[in-house]
Amino acid sequence: MEIKRQERKHVIENTDGEMLAEITFVPSGSSMVIIDHTYVSDEMRGKGTASKLVASVVDEMRQQGKKIMPLCPFAKAEFERHAEYEDVLHKKD
């Protein structure tokens, strides 16, 4: 399963280029992004696909030195389950 990093989203496609899963995020200022949507097709469900997409965004934002505000319910739950994401979590003042 290859995750392709694109501008403001990470996607997984089948061999025909059809999107099977995606996570989208939008910049908020210069130091933060907001994860606003996660989608996984029926055929990809139950394989940890959405978790891998969240991890992919976490890795990219760590590399860029940015924080993440997970507004998407799934992403928010992932941040609650994974203490190791604490370093990139945007904390409200």
Side-chain angles (χ1 to χ4, degrees):
M1 168 179 2
E2 178 188 356
I3 297 174
K4 295 182 181 180
R5 290 182 177 184
Q6 299 177 355
E7 187 174 345
R8 299 184 180 185
K9 66 181 176 179
H10 291 186
V11 299
I12 297 171
E13 300 173 338
N14 66 15
T15 54
D16 295 328
E18 178 185 340
M19 194 237 338
L20 299 175
E22 77 174 346
I23 188 167
T24 61
F25 49 92
V26 294
S28 179
S30 61
S31 62
M32 183 177 73
V33 298
I34 298 169
I35 295 177
D36 60 353
H37 176 71
T38 304
Y39 164 78
V40 177
S41 66
D42 289 341
E43 66 186 271
M44 296 296 291
R45 290 183 192 263
K47 299 177 182 178
T49 304
S51 295
K52 291 175 185 169
L53 287 170
V54 171
S56 178
V57 174
V58 167
D59 288 343
E60 181 177 350
M61 293 309 123
R62 274 190 184 128
Q63 292 170 7
Q64 295 181 17
K66 294 183 179 181
K67 298 292 185 180
I68 298 171
M69 179 183 292
L71 291 186
C72 159
F74 181 82
K76 185 175 180 182
E78 281 292 284
F79 272 78
E80 290 169 359
R81 283 191 284 267
H82 293 274
E84 67 270 23
Y85 293 168
E86 184 76 18
D87 64 312
V88 294
L89 178 63
H90 171 74
K91 295 180 178 65
K92 297 175 184 167
D93 298 329

